[in-house]
């Protein structure tokens, strides 16, 4: 089979567009997992889990890969420093995901 210039051009276009699409998909997945961690920490705060017990509490309900558990200790102080009314009113997971995707 000989490749005509049109077939070559279509192949190159397909390869070039699939790379960024794959990267975007990977970023969306990564940001989704990060947002899930933030949401779980937020829920732990709403459930009045003591700050020092958050890591074990959140890991018990984890739906993300284990490698994202390190974010728990980074996110917890941020959530626990907020006023409870703000924690309850704001969708912190959605805000986190939006910021993550914007980077």
């Amino acid at each position: 089979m000989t490749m005509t210039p049109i077939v070559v051009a279509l192949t190159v276009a397909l390869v070039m567009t699939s790379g960024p699409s794959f990267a975007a998909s990977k970023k969306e997945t990564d940001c989704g997992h990060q947002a899930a961690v933030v949401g779980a920490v937020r829920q732990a705060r709403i459930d009045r889990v003591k700050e020092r017990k958050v890591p074990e509490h959140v890991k018990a309900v984890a739906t993300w890969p284990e490698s994202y558990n390190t974010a728990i200790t980074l996110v917890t102080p941020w959530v626990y420093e907020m006023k409870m009314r703000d924690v309850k009113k704001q969708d912190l997971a959605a805000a986190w995901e939006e910021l993550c995707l914007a980077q």
Side-chain angles (χ1 to χ4, degrees):
M1 174 178 159
T2 59
M3 297 192 72
T4 65
I6 294 175
V7 172
V8 171
L10 288 174
T11 304
V12 168
L14 180 63
V15 169
M16 290 180 72
T17 58
S18 66
S21 174
F22 176 74
S25 175
K26 184 176 179 190
K27 184 173 185 171
E28 288 170 359
T29 301
D30 180 52
C31 291
H33 290 317
Q34 291 180 35
V37 171
V38 171
V41 172
R42 174 184 175 263
Q43 190 59 51
R45 172 82 192 277
I46 291 170
D47 293 344
R48 303 220 182 262
V49 174
K50 300 259 186 225
E51 187 173 353
R52 69 180 179 276
K53 299 213 177 226
V54 169
E56 64 191 48
H57 178 80
V58 170
K59 288 176 187 175
V61 298
T63 59
W64 51 82
E66 192 173 323
S67 61
Y68 288 87
N69 288 342
T70 56
I72 297 168
T73 56
L74 301 172
V75 172
T76 300
W78 173 64
V79 174
Y80 274 70
E81 288 172 1
M82 298 175 79
K83 294 189 181 284
M84 183 61 95
R85 72 172 181 258
D86 294 333
V87 173
K88 287 181 177 179
K89 284 183 180 179
Q90 299 174 10
D91 186 351
L92 301 177
W96 186 279
E97 187 168 20
E98 183 179 328
L99 286 171
C100 180
L101 290 171
Q103 294 182 4

